[in-house]
């Protein structure tokens, strides 16, 4: 170690506080409800090689994939001048899906040498494309999902030009400026830390945080029995039909290493449940962190002993230009379930949570007015120690509920019901958490899009516990497919019942 343990913890705390402050600035500065209320955004710091040094504990699917975006910048931007900033959202070059826009700012030392990067990613309520809200339920290619932003250097007019290609450009530019402000705060805090502790010491701290995370992961893996385990699960609906898509994983522990191989998973589809490999990796790493050592520093060092592979051209390693809008939100959730199931024997079983983000988009049907996006919480699975929490955003989402007051003040809707879906959690010695019910009445014509899962396949219980109830989507009492879209006329009621979590124990 280049730093003594006390110094390491002090500097680790400073890096963590920087990321948290970046996130707070982004949330407080944003204009869209999706960021300022639901907090669908993330912030992180990287070293000069593009390795994730520290992150705020925000959205798992953002943070596990953001290193790929920074790696793309390093590959393509040879000269990183002080204060340089890039913007991108291409899922096949480090992104997740198009609404998640990433801004990356270069950090430099006093001598002008590259010190690292500050980055922020946020889900924008619209990024253009044929469907208002840019979360179509039936897209086939990336171009049908919105504006694809190749990694580009941010100039004076770059953000404004991009925002004008999207709906509600004033809101888009405001949210992008909030991201820039967050990155600037990260740059200022790292500069202050260098002035106080010395630049060499900060560089040492970044390297040591990575090594420390690696040591903790290796130590935890070394405690486990070597072996090989597998699991399978399904996603609901492929191309335009309702067939299920099977996902598989084989987990192998050998000494201080873990290998996750998704061989045998379904091929990519002519729909939008596809994942770029960065999203698959992100979901798998989230599950491993939860199971192995959730208190370790959230850095790329902890990922070094973990190898993740998926066949090229499969649903979990799709080829450009396959659509990915649902892959980032729904397929990633199933990947996390899959990894947890595979590692249940060496690490202890946990009942499945709702396994879906229940994505809802509402918009002005003309495409000129408001756009609104949210995810809905549900029941979490129980385990041997505790029952599952109810009506909560779990796993890859980790966002908050949008308050009724915000929705009704910004949209022509009336929320007729928001409450627990009582009894939807699976029974057992530890009961699964209940889902929730949100019932929305349209006061004006609305375009809607729903991307949901666990409507036909219930979240599974564990160790004899009962399954949770699957979810339901209804309009005026008529049940919809898990993925659906269309138009709501004034007076029509959209009702969403989210899944309950599985129970644990007979």
């Amino acid at each position: 170690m280049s730093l003594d343990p006390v110094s390491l913890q002090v500097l680790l705390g400073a890096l963590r506080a920087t990321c948290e402050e970046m996130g707070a600035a982004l949330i407080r500065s944003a204009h869209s409800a999706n960021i300022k209320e639901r907090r669908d955004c993330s912030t992180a710091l990287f070293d000069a090689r593009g390795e994730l040094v520290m992150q705020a504990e925000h959205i798992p699917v953002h943070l596990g994939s953001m290193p790929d975006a920074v790696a793309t910048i390093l590959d393509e931007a040879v000269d990183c001048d002080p204060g340089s900033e890039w913007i991108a959202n291409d899922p096949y070059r480090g992104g997740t899906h198009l609404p998640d826009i990433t801004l990356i700012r270069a950090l430099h030392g006093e001598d002008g040498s590259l010190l690292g990067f500050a980055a922020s990613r946020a889900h924008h309520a619209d990024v253009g494309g044929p469907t208002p809200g840019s979360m179509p339920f039936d897209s086939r290619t990336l171009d049908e999902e919105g504006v694809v932003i190749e990694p580009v250097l941010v100039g004076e007019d770059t953000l404004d030009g991009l925002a004008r290609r999207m709906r509600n450009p004033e809101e888009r530019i405001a949210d992008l400026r909030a991201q820039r402000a967050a990155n600037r705060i990260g740059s200022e805090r790292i500069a202050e830390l260098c002035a106080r502790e010395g630049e060499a010491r900060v560089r040492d701290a970044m390297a040591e945080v990575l090594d420390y995370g690696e040591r903790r992961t290796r130590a935890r893996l070394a405690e486990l029995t070597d072996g090989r385990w597998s699991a399978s699960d399904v996603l609901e609906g492929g191309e335009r039909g309702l067939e299920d898509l099977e996902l598989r994983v084989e987990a192998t522990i050998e000494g201080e290493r873990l290998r996750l191989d998704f061989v045998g998973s379904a091929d990519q589809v002519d729909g939008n449940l596809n994942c770029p490999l960065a999203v698959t990796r992100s979901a798998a790493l989230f599950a491993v962190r939860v199971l192995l050592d959730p208190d370790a520093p959230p850095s790329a060092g902890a990922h070094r002993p973990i190898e993740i592979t998926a066949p090229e051209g499969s649903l979990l390693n799709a080829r450009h230009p396959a659509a990915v809008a649902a892959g980032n939100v729904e397929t990633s959730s199933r990947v996390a379930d899959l990894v947890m199931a595979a590692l249940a024997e060496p690490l202890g079983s946990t009942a499945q949570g709702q396994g879906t983000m229940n994505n809802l988009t509402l918009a002005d049907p003309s495409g000129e007015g408001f756009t609104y996006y949210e995810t809905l919480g549900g029941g979490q699975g129980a385990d041997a120690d505790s029952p599952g929490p109810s009506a909560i955003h779990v796993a890859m989402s980790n966002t908050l509920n949008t308050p009724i007051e915000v929705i009704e003040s910004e949209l022509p809707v009336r929320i007729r019901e928001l409450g627990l879906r009582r009894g939807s959690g699976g029974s057992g010695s530890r009961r699964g958490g209940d889902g929730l019910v949100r019932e929305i009445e349209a006061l004006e014509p609305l375009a809607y899009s729903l991307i949901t899962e666990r409507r036909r396949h219930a979240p599974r219980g564990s160790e004899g516990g009962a399954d949770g109830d699957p979810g339901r989507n209804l309009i005026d009492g008529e049940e919809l497919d898990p993925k659906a879209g269309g138009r709501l006329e004034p007076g029509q009621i959209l009702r969403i019942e989210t899944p309950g979590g599985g129970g644990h124990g007979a």
Side-chain angles (χ1 to χ4, degrees):
M1 292 178 63
S2 57
L3 297 171
D4 64 87
V6 173
S7 297
L8 172 61
Q9 290 299 320
V10 169
L11 291 169
L12 192 155
L15 295 171
R16 190 190 301 272
T18 297
C19 290
E20 295 289 353
E21 186 179 354
M22 290 169 63
L26 172 51
I27 291 163
R28 292 172 67 91
S29 304
H31 283 212
S32 66
N34 189 51
I35 301 174
K36 71 181 180 181
E37 300 290 350
R38 288 186 57 249
R39 304 187 180 186
D40 194 346
C41 58
S42 300
T43 53
L45 293 170
F46 297 80
D47 68 10
R49 297 173 299 173
E51 286 201 87
L52 175 66
V53 172
M54 186 56 61
Q55 64 189 42
E57 301 282 17
H58 291 147
I59 312 300
V61 76
H62 287 178
L63 294 161
S65 56
M66 224 189 297
D68 288 45
V70 177
T72 299
I73 299 302
L74 283 170
D75 288 343
E76 300 185 6
V78 178
D79 297 321
C80 297
D81 297 327
S84 297
E85 197 161 20
W86 296 266
I87 185 171
N89 75 343
D90 188 344
Y92 294 97
R93 302 172 81 178
T96 50
H97 59 180
L98 296 182
D100 287 342
I101 298 178
T102 306
L103 268 75
I104 302 167
R105 181 184 179 94
L107 310 178
H108 289 78
E110 290 186 357
D111 61 356
S113 61
L114 183 64
L115 182 62
F117 300 90
S120 61
R121 176 172 286 176
H123 184 117
H124 290 252
D126 187 276
V127 289
T131 305
S134 309
M135 285 290 288
F137 75 97
D138 59 352
S139 53
R140 296 173 182 242
T141 66
L142 201 60
D143 289 338
E144 295 176 10
E145 297 181 336
V147 175
V148 181
I149 307 171
E150 306 290 346
V152 62
L153 198 64
V154 176
E156 187 173 340
D157 301 321
T158 306
L159 299 186
D160 186 68
L162 288 170
R164 296 298 165 191
R165 298 168 62 190
M166 305 170 187
R167 297 172 184 85
N168 295 337
E170 291 77 15
E171 187 176 81
R172 299 289 78 71
I173 193 67
D175 288 348
L176 289 169
R177 286 172 177 165
Q179 287 186 248
R180 293 195 78 182
N183 288 354
R184 190 175 297 114
I185 284 176
S187 177
E188 291 172 357
R189 295 299 174 266
I190 293 300
E192 292 168 2
L193 187 62
C194 287
R196 185 171 68 247
E197 299 288 342
E199 185 180 319
R201 192 172 174 83
V202 172
R203 290 183 186 272
D204 286 345
M206 289 183 172
E208 192 55 54
V209 166
L210 293 166
D211 292 343
Y212 176 52
E214 179 180 2
R215 290 196 299 272
R216 288 187 60 152
T217 300
R218 289 187 180 278
R220 183 71 180 96
L221 286 170
E223 295 173 356
L224 304 177
T225 303
D226 286 0
R228 182 175 297 173
W229 303 271
S230 62
S232 64
D233 210 327
V234 296
L235 288 166
E236 297 168 346
E239 300 167 293
R240 288 298 187 273
L242 295 176
E243 70 274 15
D244 294 331
L245 300 167
E246 186 177 23
L247 302 181
R248 300 187 63 84
V249 68
E250 186 175 86
T252 305
I253 296 177
E254 293 180 351
E256 297 179 353
R257 297 197 63 81
L258 168 64
R259 184 170 188 267
L260 299 171
D261 187 354
F262 291 92
V263 66
S265 295
D267 292 337
Q268 69 182 62
V269 296
D270 187 23
N272 61 19
L273 282 165
N274 307 292
C275 273
L277 185 58
V279 170
T280 298
R281 184 184 299 116
S282 178
L285 291 173
F286 159 77
V288 171
R289 174 175 170 77
V290 167
L291 294 170
L292 283 183
D293 190 355
D295 296 324
S299 74
H303 307 159
R304 289 172 179 170
I306 302 164
E307 180 185 355
I308 298 169
T309 58
E312 186 177 357
S314 70
L315 199 70
L316 302 182
N317 187 6
R319 297 188 184 98
H320 183 275
V324 296
N328 176 61
V329 288
E330 297 303 287
T331 310
S332 68
S333 299
R334 192 64 67 254
V335 169
D337 287 345
L338 202 60
V339 173
M340 291 183 184
L343 295 174
E345 183 175 335
L347 288 165
S349 63
T350 300
Q352 290 182 334
Q354 67 164 345
T356 175
M357 296 192 196
N358 304 295
N359 304 268
L360 170 65
T361 304
L362 298 173
D364 181 345
S366 71
E368 300 298 324
F370 62 87
T371 56
Y372 172 80
Y373 168 77
E374 73 167 334
T375 62
L376 301 179
Q380 176 63 299
D383 61 21
D385 297 323
S386 60
S390 298
I392 190 171
H393 291 265
V394 295
M396 303 307 295
S397 176
N398 198 38
T399 54
L400 299 181
N401 170 68
T402 308
I404 290 174
E405 295 82 357
V406 172
I407 299 175
E408 291 189 338
S409 66
E410 296 189 4
L411 305 178
V413 301
R414 178 180 293 113
I415 306 302
R416 294 169 55 98
E417 182 179 351
L418 174 61
L420 287 178
R421 189 185 175 201
R422 298 191 182 277
S424 57
S427 61
S429 58
R430 302 286 188 179
R431 189 175 183 88
D434 288 334
L436 61 76
V437 175
R438 194 195 283 282
E439 200 170 83
I440 303 169
E441 179 184 357
L443 303 182
E444 297 177 10
L446 293 172
Y448 78 91
S449 177
L450 281 167
I451 301 176
T452 64
E453 277 285 325
R454 297 288 194 212
R455 266 45 184 178
R456 297 196 305 276
H457 298 275
R460 295 196 292 254
S462 60
E463 303 295 331
D467 295 345
D469 288 348
R472 297 199 307 164
N473 308 324
L474 308 99
I475 292 181
D476 291 342
E478 182 176 345
E479 194 158 351
L480 305 173
D481 290 334
K483 284 82 178 169
R487 182 181 172 105
L488 291 173
E489 299 299 339
Q492 285 193 297
I493 296 170
L494 172 63
R495 181 180 175 89
I496 302 172
E497 301 177 358
T498 68
H504 181 89

